[in-house]
Amino acid sequence: MAEPRPHFFNLTRPELQDLVKSYGKEKFRSHQLFQWVYTKGVSDFEQMTNLSKEFRRDLPQLLDISNLEMVSHLKSVDGTRKFLFKLANGDTIESVLIPSEDRRTLCVSSEVGCNMACQFCFTAKQKLKKRLTAGEIVLQFLMVQKALPAEERISNVVFMGMGEPLDNPENVFKAIDILHDQVGLNFSRKRITVSTSGLVPQIDLIANSGARLAVSLNATTNHLRDKIMPINRKYPLEVLLQACKDYYKKTKESITFEYVLLKGVNDSTDDAKRIHKLTRGLECKINLIPFNEHPEADFKRPNGDEVHQFQRVLMDLGMHVLIRRTMGRDIYAACGQLRTLYEKHPGKMSQEEMRA
Ligand code: SAH
């Protein structure tokens, strides 16, 4: 049986170069292909006029250049946009674009489902179904960028959507290489953040990739973290924090610690003090995320005063603390919700319902 055609968006430029070479073409043809697709936004080989007619005719047999299917694109009153994509195998994934004063951050998914089993997380309720390919990650970027008005460019990428990026390192770091390629999108590595629940052995890969590290801390004792984030049983807090110190030593880059606030569970003054203690010696920022309630978890969201009180304790200890605003509530804010809605009522997510 013939080998399946490689997918264009799965290939780094050196890989594309090898492919083009094996076809008997000059190396610089891969350069031209990259430019057409990534800087000119042209993915129809026929339109690539600096390639020979014969090569253009043969390219579809060499390469699959299909996109993801955009099932829906919703825009919130606060400007957040939520995209639902269907992969070639029929699975669906979400990407979210979050605008703020000085940036436009794209939150991408790295897996369908997730095996980390964090108790509060919506995505984790579904076991890992598929690790996304590099192309499926790159296409989230390209397709969202294309759906935006020309003057609105994505300025930052965070791997904080569905899945555990460090459980899919090969494809995640390949996608980062493709996004960064200077002939193509030339997207700065420093503007890419990889968030992990704590897969310690792979944290060094983030340091080597030039991307920024975010860690979902979420608990300050091994006792609690073992319960709400089972990965902690394998890599407990002291091991995780040591890996963060190693990252910092190697890169001198500050680290973001995400902390989901669960009412009455991890939001005490003592917890705040322990966050300070645990992160001592690191240049870091704390990102507090008030829990997004959903039917699959019993945790409660602390009220605004409680969240501010927790922030105050940390700030008084001299820490840099931000509260993540809950964006896009009117478009099914909690992680994974849009996708679930679609799976329950596929007919309802028709074109007419798109508000963007
Ligand atoms: N698996 C990676 C990245 C995806 S989750 C990681 O764990 O870092 C992105 C963030 O959302 C994580 O910090 C996670 O702790 C948080 N999160 C998950 N479910 C949430 C919920 N229901 N409400 C608020 N934050 C949640």
Side-chain angles (χ1 to χ4, degrees), residues 137-221:
I137 295 168
V138 170
L139 275 167
Q140 293 176 61
F141 181 101
L142 285 178
M143 292 185 69
V144 169
Q145 185 63 82
K146 238 182 191 164
L148 298 178
E151 68 283 5
E152 293 184 18
R153 315 299 297 171
I154 297 168
S155 64
N156 296 72
V157 172
V158 294
F159 283 82
M160 294 182 188
M162 296 158 53
E164 167 54 53
L166 293 189
D167 179 47
N168 185 16
E170 196 183 318
N171 297 325
V172 163
F173 293 111
K174 189 175 191 189
I176 291 174
D177 285 345
I178 297 172
L179 292 172
H180 177 65
D181 195 296
Q182 265 120 7
V183 176
L185 293 162
N186 196 15
F187 197 85
S188 165
R189 293 174 186 275
K190 292 272 162 282
R191 290 177 173 273
I192 300 177
T193 300
V194 178
S195 176
T196 181
S197 56
L199 277 175
V200 167
Q202 282 88 313
I203 287 180
D204 194 44
L205 298 175
I206 306 183
N208 296 340
S209 78
R212 309 290 287 261
L213 167 65
V215 171
S216 297
L217 189 63
N218 298 345
T220 57
T221 63

Coordinates of all heavy atoms in Angstrom, one line a residue, residues 137-221:
I137 N -1.9 21.6 15.8 CA -1.6 22.7 16.7 C -1.3 24.0 15.9 O -1.9 25.0 16.1 CB -0.4 22.4 17.7 CG1 -0.8 21.2 18.6 CG2 0.0 23.6 18.5 CD1 0.4 20.6 19.3
V138 N -0.5 23.8 14.9 CA -0.2 25.0 14.0 C -1.4 25.5 13.4 O -1.6 26.7 13.2 CB 0.9 24.6 13.0 CG1 1.1 25.7 11.9 CG2 2.2 24.3 13.6
L139 N -2.3 24.6 12.9 CA -3.5 25.0 12.2 C -4.5 25.8 13.2 O -5.2 26.7 12.7 CB -4.2 23.8 11.6 CG -3.7 23.5 10.2 CD1 -4.2 22.1 9.8 CD2 -4.1 24.5 9.2
Q140 N -4.5 25.5 14.5 CA -5.3 26.3 15.4 C -4.9 27.8 15.2 O -5.7 28.7 15.1 CB -5.2 25.8 16.8 CG -5.7 24.5 17.1 CD -5.5 24.0 18.5 OE1 -5.9 24.6 19.5 NE2 -4.7 22.9 18.7
F141 N -3.6 28.0 15.3 CA -3.0 29.3 15.1 C -3.4 30.0 13.8 O -4.0 31.1 13.8 CB -1.5 29.3 15.3 CG -0.8 30.6 15.2 CD1 -0.4 31.3 16.3 CD2 -0.6 31.3 14.0 CE1 0.3 32.5 16.3 CE2 0.0 32.5 13.9 CZ 0.5 33.1 15.0
L142 N -3.1 29.3 12.7 CA -3.4 29.8 11.4 C -4.8 30.1 11.1 O -5.2 31.2 10.6 CB -2.9 28.9 10.3 CG -1.4 28.7 10.1 CD1 -1.1 27.7 9.0 CD2 -0.8 30.1 9.7
M143 N -5.7 29.2 11.6 CA -7.1 29.4 11.3 C -7.7 30.5 12.1 O -8.6 31.3 11.7 CB -7.9 28.1 11.4 CG -7.4 27.1 10.3 SD -8.3 25.6 10.3 CE -9.9 26.2 9.7
V144 N -7.3 30.6 13.4 CA -7.8 31.7 14.2 C -7.3 33.1 13.6 O -8.0 34.0 13.5 CB -7.4 31.6 15.7 CG1 -7.6 32.8 16.5 CG2 -8.1 30.4 16.3
Q145 N -6.0 33.1 13.3 CA -5.4 34.3 12.7 C -6.2 34.8 11.5 O -6.5 35.9 11.3 CB -4.0 34.1 12.4 CG -3.2 35.3 11.9 CD -3.2 36.4 13.0 OE1 -2.4 36.4 13.8 NE2 -4.1 37.4 12.9
K146 N -6.6 33.8 10.6 CA -7.3 34.1 9.4 C -8.7 34.6 9.7 O -9.2 35.4 8.9 CB -7.4 32.8 8.6 CG -6.7 33.1 7.2 CD -6.8 31.9 6.3 CE -5.9 32.1 5.1 NZ -5.7 30.9 4.3
A147 N -9.3 34.2 10.8 CA -10.7 34.5 11.1 C -10.7 35.9 11.7 O -11.8 36.5 11.9 CB -11.3 33.5 12.1
L148 N -9.6 36.5 12.1 CA -9.5 37.8 12.7 C -9.4 38.9 11.7 O -8.9 38.7 10.6 CB -8.4 37.9 13.7 CG -8.3 37.0 14.8 CD1 -7.0 37.2 15.7 CD2 -9.5 37.2 15.7
P149 N -9.9 40.2 12.0 CA -9.7 41.3 11.1 C -8.1 41.5 10.9 O -7.4 41.2 11.8 CB -10.2 42.5 11.9 CG -11.2 41.9 12.9 CD -10.7 40.5 13.2
A150 N -7.8 42.0 9.8 CA -6.3 42.0 9.4 C -5.5 42.7 10.4 O -4.3 42.3 10.6 CB -6.2 42.7 8.0
E151 N -6.0 43.8 11.1 CA -5.1 44.5 12.0 C -5.0 43.8 13.4 O -4.2 44.2 14.2 CB -5.6 45.9 12.2 CG -7.0 46.1 12.9 CD -8.2 45.8 12.0 OE1 -8.0 45.3 10.9 OE2 -9.3 46.0 12.5
E152 N -5.8 42.8 13.6 CA -5.7 42.0 14.8 C -4.8 40.8 14.7 O -5.2 39.8 14.2 CB -7.1 41.6 15.3 CG -8.0 42.8 15.7 CD -9.3 42.4 16.2 OE1 -9.5 41.2 16.6 OE2 -10.2 43.2 16.2
R153 N -3.6 40.9 15.2 CA -2.6 39.8 15.1 C -2.5 39.1 16.5 O -2.5 39.8 17.5 CB -1.2 40.3 14.7 CG -1.1 41.3 13.6 CD -1.7 40.8 12.3 NE -0.9 39.6 11.8 CZ -1.3 38.9 10.8 NH1 -2.5 39.1 10.2 NH2 -0.6 37.9 10.4
I154 N -2.4 37.8 16.4 CA -2.1 37.1 17.6 C -0.8 37.5 18.2 O 0.2 37.5 17.4 CB -2.2 35.6 17.4 CG1 -3.5 35.1 16.9 CG2 -1.8 34.8 18.6 CD1 -3.6 33.7 16.3
S155 N -0.7 37.9 19.5 CA 0.6 38.3 20.0 C 1.2 37.3 20.9 O 2.5 37.3 21.1 CB 0.5 39.6 20.7 OG -0.4 39.5 21.9
N156 N 0.4 36.4 21.5 CA 1.0 35.4 22.4 C 0.2 34.1 22.2 O -0.9 34.1 21.8 CB 0.7 35.9 23.9 CG 1.5 37.1 24.2 OD1 1.2 38.2 23.7 ND2 2.6 37.0 25.0
V157 N 0.9 33.0 22.5 CA 0.3 31.7 22.5 C 0.5 31.0 23.8 O 1.6 31.0 24.3 CB 0.9 30.8 21.3 CG1 0.4 29.4 21.4 CG2 0.6 31.4 19.9
V158 N -0.5 30.5 24.4 CA -0.4 29.7 25.6 C -1.0 28.3 25.4 O -2.0 28.1 24.8 CB -1.1 30.4 26.8 CG1 -0.4 31.7 27.2 CG2 -2.6 30.6 26.6
F159 N -0.2 27.3 25.8 CA -0.7 25.9 25.8 C -1.5 25.7 27.1 O -1.0 25.0 28.0 CB 0.4 24.9 25.6 CG 1.0 24.9 24.2 CD1 1.9 25.8 23.8 CD2 0.6 23.9 23.3 CE1 2.4 25.7 22.5 CE2 1.0 23.8 22.0 CZ 2.0 24.8 21.6
M160 N -2.7 26.2 27.1 CA -3.5 26.1 28.3 C -4.9 25.7 28.0 O -5.9 25.8 28.7 CB -3.6 27.4 29.1 CG -2.3 27.9 29.7 SD -2.4 29.4 30.6 CE -0.7 29.8 31.0
G161 N -5.1 25.1 26.8 CA -6.4 24.6 26.4 C -6.5 23.2 26.8 O -5.9 22.8 27.8
M162 N -7.2 22.4 26.0 CA -7.4 21.0 26.4 C -6.1 20.2 26.4 O -5.3 20.3 25.4 CB -8.4 20.4 25.4 CG -9.8 21.0 25.5 SD -10.7 20.7 24.0 CE -10.6 18.9 23.8
G163 N -5.9 19.4 27.4 CA -4.8 18.4 27.3 C -3.6 18.9 28.1 O -3.5 20.0 28.6
E164 N -2.6 18.0 28.3 CA -1.4 18.2 29.0 C -0.2 18.3 27.9 O 0.2 17.2 27.4 CB -1.1 17.1 30.0 CG 0.3 17.1 30.6 CD 0.7 18.4 31.2 OE1 0.0 18.9 32.1 OE2 1.8 18.8 30.9
P165 N 0.3 19.5 27.7 CA 1.2 19.6 26.6 C 2.5 18.7 26.8 O 3.0 18.2 25.8 CB 1.6 21.1 26.5 CG 0.9 21.7 27.7 CD -0.1 20.8 28.2
L166 N 2.9 18.5 28.0 CA 4.1 17.7 28.2 C 3.9 16.2 28.1 O 4.8 15.4 28.2 CB 4.8 18.1 29.6 CG 5.4 19.5 29.6 CD1 6.2 19.7 30.9 CD2 6.2 19.9 28.4
D167 N 2.6 15.9 27.9 CA 2.3 14.5 27.6 C 2.3 14.2 26.1 O 2.1 13.1 25.6 CB 0.9 14.2 28.2 CG 0.4 12.8 27.9 OD1 1.2 11.8 28.2 OD2 -0.7 12.6 27.4
N168 N 2.5 15.3 25.4 CA 2.6 15.3 23.9 C 3.8 16.1 23.5 O 3.7 17.0 22.6 CB 1.3 15.8 23.4 CG 1.2 15.7 21.9 OD1 2.0 14.9 21.2 ND2 0.3 16.4 21.3
P169 N 5.0 15.9 24.1 CA 6.1 16.8 23.9 C 6.6 16.9 22.4 O 6.9 18.0 21.9 CB 7.2 16.3 24.8 CG 6.8 14.9 25.1 CD 5.3 14.8 25.0
E170 N 6.6 15.7 21.8 CA 7.2 15.7 20.5 C 6.5 16.7 19.5 O 7.1 17.5 18.8 CB 7.2 14.3 19.9 CG 8.1 14.1 18.7 CD 7.9 12.7 18.1 OE1 7.9 11.8 18.9 OE2 7.8 12.6 16.9
N171 N 5.1 16.6 19.5 CA 4.3 17.4 18.6 C 4.2 18.9 19.1 O 4.2 19.8 18.3 CB 3.0 16.8 18.5 CG 3.0 15.4 17.8 OD1 3.9 15.2 17.0 ND2 2.2 14.5 18.3
V172 N 4.2 19.1 20.4 CA 4.1 20.4 20.9 C 5.4 21.2 20.6 O 5.3 22.3 20.0 CB 3.9 20.4 22.5 CG1 4.2 21.8 23.1 CG2 2.4 20.0 22.8
F173 N 6.5 20.6 20.8 CA 7.8 21.4 20.5 C 8.0 21.5 19.0 O 8.6 22.5 18.6 CB 8.9 20.8 21.3 CG 8.7 21.0 22.8 CD1 8.5 19.9 23.6 CD2 8.7 22.3 23.3 CE1 8.3 20.1 25.0 CE2 8.5 22.5 24.7 CZ 8.3 21.4 25.5
K174 N 7.5 20.5 18.3 CA 7.7 20.7 16.8 C 6.8 21.8 16.3 O 7.2 22.6 15.5 CB 7.2 19.4 16.2 CG 7.5 19.3 14.7 CD 7.2 17.9 14.2 CE 7.7 17.7 12.8 NZ 7.2 16.5 12.2
A175 N 5.6 21.9 16.9 CA 4.7 23.0 16.5 C 5.3 24.4 16.9 O 5.3 25.3 16.1 CB 3.3 22.9 17.2
I176 N 6.0 24.4 18.0 CA 6.7 25.7 18.4 C 7.8 26.0 17.4 O 7.9 27.1 17.0 CB 7.2 25.5 19.8 CG1 6.0 25.5 20.8 CG2 8.1 26.7 20.2 CD1 6.4 25.3 22.3
D177 N 8.5 25.0 17.0 CA 9.6 25.2 15.9 C 9.0 25.8 14.6 O 9.5 26.6 14.0 CB 10.3 23.9 15.6 CG 11.2 23.5 16.7 OD1 11.5 24.3 17.6 OD2 11.7 22.3 16.7
I178 N 7.8 25.2 14.3 CA 7.2 25.6 13.0 C 6.7 27.1 13.2 O 6.9 27.9 12.3 CB 6.0 24.7 12.6 CG1 6.6 23.3 12.3 CG2 5.3 25.2 11.4 CD1 5.6 22.2 12.1
L179 N 6.0 27.4 14.3 CA 5.5 28.7 14.5 C 6.7 29.8 14.5 O 6.5 30.9 14.1 CB 4.8 28.8 15.8 CG 3.5 28.1 16.0 CD1 3.0 28.1 17.4 CD2 2.4 28.7 15.0
H180 N 7.8 29.3 15.0 CA 9.0 30.2 15.1 C 9.8 30.4 13.8 O 10.5 31.4 13.7 CB 9.9 29.7 16.2 CG 11.1 30.5 16.4 ND1 11.1 31.8 16.9 CD2 12.4 30.2 16.2 CE1 12.3 32.3 16.9 NE2 13.1 31.4 16.5
D181 N 9.7 29.5 12.9 CA 10.5 29.5 11.7 C 10.5 30.9 11.1 O 9.5 31.5 10.7 CB 10.0 28.5 10.7 CG 11.1 28.3 9.6 OD1 11.4 29.2 8.9 OD2 11.6 27.1 9.5
Q182 N 11.7 31.4 10.9 CA 11.9 32.8 10.4 C 11.4 33.0 9.0 O 11.0 34.1 8.6 CB 13.3 33.3 10.5 CG 13.6 34.1 11.8 CD 14.6 33.4 12.7 OE1 15.3 32.4 12.2 NE2 14.8 33.9 13.9
V183 N 11.4 32.0 8.2 CA 10.9 32.1 6.8 C 9.4 32.1 6.8 O 8.7 32.6 5.9 CB 11.4 31.0 5.9 CG1 10.9 31.0 4.6 CG2 13.0 31.0 5.9
G184 N 8.8 31.6 7.9 CA 7.3 31.5 7.9 C 6.7 32.5 8.9 O 6.9 33.7 8.6
L185 N 6.1 32.1 9.9 CA 5.4 33.0 10.8 C 6.3 33.8 11.7 O 5.9 34.9 12.1 CB 4.4 32.2 11.7 CG 3.3 31.5 11.0 CD1 2.6 30.4 11.8 CD2 2.2 32.5 10.6
N186 N 7.5 33.3 11.9 CA 8.5 34.1 12.7 C 8.0 34.5 14.1 O 8.2 35.6 14.5 CB 9.0 35.3 11.9 CG 10.2 35.9 12.4 OD1 11.0 35.3 13.2 ND2 10.5 37.1 12.0
F187 N 7.2 33.7 14.7 CA 6.6 34.0 16.0 C 7.6 33.8 17.1 O 8.2 32.7 17.2 CB 5.4 33.1 16.2 CG 4.4 33.6 17.2 CD1 3.4 34.5 16.9 CD2 4.5 33.1 18.5 CE1 2.6 35.0 17.8 CE2 3.6 33.6 19.5 CZ 2.7 34.5 19.1
S188 N 7.8 34.8 17.9 CA 8.8 34.7 19.0 C 8.6 33.6 20.0 O 7.4 33.4 20.5 CB 8.9 36.0 19.7 OG 9.6 35.9 20.9
R189 N 9.6 32.8 20.3 CA 9.5 31.8 21.3 C 9.1 32.3 22.7 O 8.5 31.7 23.5 CB 10.8 31.0 21.4 CG 11.1 30.2 20.1 CD 12.5 29.6 20.3 NE 12.9 28.9 19.0 CZ 12.6 27.7 18.7 NH1 11.9 26.9 19.5 NH2 13.0 27.2 17.6
K190 N 9.6 33.5 22.9 CA 9.4 34.1 24.2 C 7.9 34.5 24.4 O 7.4 34.8 25.5 CB 10.2 35.4 24.4 CG 11.6 35.2 24.4 CD 12.1 35.0 25.8 CE 13.5 34.4 25.9 NZ 13.4 32.9 25.7
R191 N 7.1 34.5 23.4 CA 5.7 34.8 23.5 C 4.9 33.5 23.5 O 3.7 33.6 23.3 CB 5.3 35.7 22.3 CG 5.9 37.1 22.5 CD 5.5 38.0 21.3 NE 5.9 39.4 21.6 CZ 5.2 40.3 22.2 NH1 4.0 39.9 22.6 NH2 5.6 41.5 22.4
I192 N 5.5 32.4 23.7 CA 4.8 31.2 23.8 C 5.0 30.6 25.2 O 6.1 30.6 25.7 CB 5.4 30.2 22.7 CG1 5.2 30.7 21.3 CG2 4.7 28.8 22.9 CD1 5.7 29.8 20.2
T193 N 3.9 30.2 25.8 CA 4.0 29.7 27.2 C 3.4 28.3 27.2 O 2.3 28.0 26.7 CB 3.2 30.6 28.2 OG1 3.8 31.9 28.2 CG2 3.3 30.0 29.6
V194 N 4.2 27.4 27.8 CA 3.7 26.0 27.9 C 3.3 25.7 29.4 O 4.2 25.9 30.2 CB 4.8 25.0 27.4 CG1 4.3 23.5 27.6 CG2 5.1 25.2 26.0
S195 N 2.1 25.4 29.6 CA 1.6 25.2 31.0 C 1.5 23.7 31.3 O 1.0 22.9 30.5 CB 0.2 25.8 31.1 OG -0.3 25.5 32.4
T196 N 2.1 23.3 32.4 CA 2.0 21.9 32.8 C 1.5 21.7 34.2 O 1.6 22.5 35.1 CB 3.4 21.2 32.7 OG1 3.3 19.9 33.0 CG2 4.4 21.9 33.6
S197 N 0.9 20.5 34.3 CA 0.4 20.1 35.6 C 1.5 19.6 36.5 O 1.3 19.3 37.7 CB -0.7 19.0 35.5 OG -0.2 17.9 34.7
G198 N 2.7 19.4 35.9 CA 3.8 18.9 36.7 C 4.5 17.7 36.2 O 4.9 16.8 37.0
L199 N 4.6 17.5 34.9 CA 5.4 16.3 34.4 C 6.8 16.7 34.4 O 7.4 17.1 33.4 CB 4.9 16.0 32.9 CG 3.6 15.2 32.8 CD1 3.2 15.0 31.4 CD2 3.9 13.8 33.4
V200 N 7.4 16.4 35.6 CA 8.8 17.0 35.9 C 9.9 16.6 34.8 O 10.6 17.5 34.4 CB 9.2 16.6 37.3 CG1 10.7 16.8 37.5 CG2 8.4 17.3 38.3
P201 N 10.0 15.4 34.4 CA 11.1 15.1 33.5 C 11.1 15.8 32.2 O 12.1 16.0 31.6 CB 11.0 13.6 33.2 CG 10.0 13.0 34.3 CD 9.2 14.2 34.7
Q202 N 9.9 16.3 31.8 CA 9.8 17.0 30.5 C 9.9 18.5 30.6 O 9.9 19.2 29.6 CB 8.5 16.7 29.8 CG 8.4 15.4 29.1 CD 7.9 14.3 30.0 OE1 8.4 14.2 31.2 NE2 7.0 13.4 29.6
I203 N 10.0 19.0 31.9 CA 10.1 20.5 32.0 C 11.4 21.1 31.4 O 11.3 22.2 30.8 CB 10.0 20.9 33.5 CG1 8.5 20.7 34.0 CG2 10.4 22.3 33.8 CD1 8.2 21.0 35.4
D204 N 12.4 20.3 31.4 CA 13.7 20.7 30.8 C 13.5 21.0 29.3 O 14.2 21.8 28.7 CB 14.8 19.7 31.1 CG 16.1 20.3 30.8 OD1 16.4 21.4 31.2 OD2 16.9 19.6 30.1
L205 N 12.6 20.2 28.7 CA 12.3 20.5 27.2 C 11.8 21.9 27.0 O 12.0 22.4 25.9 CB 11.3 19.4 26.7 CG 11.7 18.0 26.8 CD1 10.5 17.1 26.4 CD2 12.9 17.7 25.9
I206 N 11.0 22.4 27.9 CA 10.5 23.8 27.8 C 11.7 24.7 27.8 O 11.8 25.6 27.0 CB 9.5 24.1 28.9 CG1 8.4 23.1 28.9 CG2 8.9 25.5 28.6 CD1 7.2 23.4 29.9
A207 N 12.6 24.5 28.8 CA 13.8 25.4 28.8 C 14.5 25.3 27.5 O 14.9 26.3 27.0 CB 14.7 24.9 30.0
N208 N 14.7 24.1 27.0 CA 15.5 24.0 25.7 C 14.8 24.6 24.5 O 15.4 25.0 23.6 CB 15.8 22.5 25.4 CG 16.7 21.9 26.5 OD1 17.3 22.6 27.2 ND2 16.6 20.6 26.6
S209 N 13.4 24.6 24.6 CA 12.7 25.1 23.4 C 12.7 26.7 23.4 O 12.3 27.2 22.3 CB 11.2 24.7 23.5 OG 10.5 25.5 24.5
G210 N 13.0 27.3 24.4 CA 13.0 28.8 24.4 C 11.6 29.3 24.8 O 11.4 30.5 24.9
A211 N 10.6 28.5 25.0 CA 9.3 28.9 25.4 C 9.3 29.2 26.9 O 10.2 28.9 27.6 CB 8.2 27.9 25.1
R212 N 8.2 29.8 27.4 CA 8.1 30.2 28.8 C 7.4 29.0 29.5 O 6.6 28.3 29.0 CB 7.3 31.5 29.0 CG 7.8 32.6 28.2 CD 9.2 33.1 28.6 NE 9.0 33.9 29.9 CZ 9.0 35.2 30.0 NH1 9.0 35.9 28.9 NH2 8.9 35.8 31.1
L213 N 7.7 28.9 30.8 CA 7.1 27.9 31.6 C 6.0 28.4 32.5 O 6.1 29.4 33.2 CB 8.2 27.2 32.5 CG 7.8 26.3 33.7 CD1 7.1 25.1 33.2 CD2 8.9 26.0 34.6
A214 N 4.8 27.7 32.5 CA 3.8 27.9 33.5 C 3.5 26.6 34.2 O 3.5 25.6 33.5 CB 2.5 28.5 32.8
V215 N 3.3 26.7 35.5 CA 3.0 25.5 36.2 C 1.7 25.6 37.0 O 1.5 26.6 37.6 CB 4.2 25.2 37.3 CG1 3.8 24.1 38.2 CG2 5.5 24.9 36.5
S216 N 0.9 24.6 36.9 CA -0.4 24.6 37.6 C -0.1 24.1 39.0 O -0.1 22.9 39.2 CB -1.5 23.8 36.9 OG -1.7 24.3 35.6
L217 N 0.0 25.0 39.9 CA 0.4 24.6 41.3 C -0.8 24.1 42.0 O -0.8 22.9 42.5 CB 1.0 25.8 42.0 CG 1.7 25.6 43.3 CD1 2.9 24.7 43.2 CD2 2.1 26.9 44.0
N218 N -1.8 24.9 42.2 CA -3.1 24.5 42.7 C -3.2 24.0 44.1 O -4.3 23.8 44.6 CB -3.8 23.5 41.7 CG -4.0 24.2 40.4 OD1 -3.9 25.4 40.2 ND2 -4.3 23.3 39.4
A219 N -2.1 23.6 44.7 CA -2.2 23.1 46.1 C -0.8 23.4 46.7 O 0.2 23.4 46.0 CB -2.5 21.7 46.2
T220 N -0.7 23.5 48.0 CA 0.6 23.9 48.7 C 1.1 22.8 49.6 O 2.1 23.0 50.3 CB 0.4 25.2 49.5 OG1 -0.6 25.0 50.4 CG2 0.1 26.4 48.6
T221 N 0.3 21.7 49.7 CA 0.8 20.6 50.5 C 0.7 19.3 49.6 O -0.2 19.3 48.8 CB -0.1 20.3 51.8 OG1 -1.4 20.0 51.4 CG2 -0.1 21.5 52.7

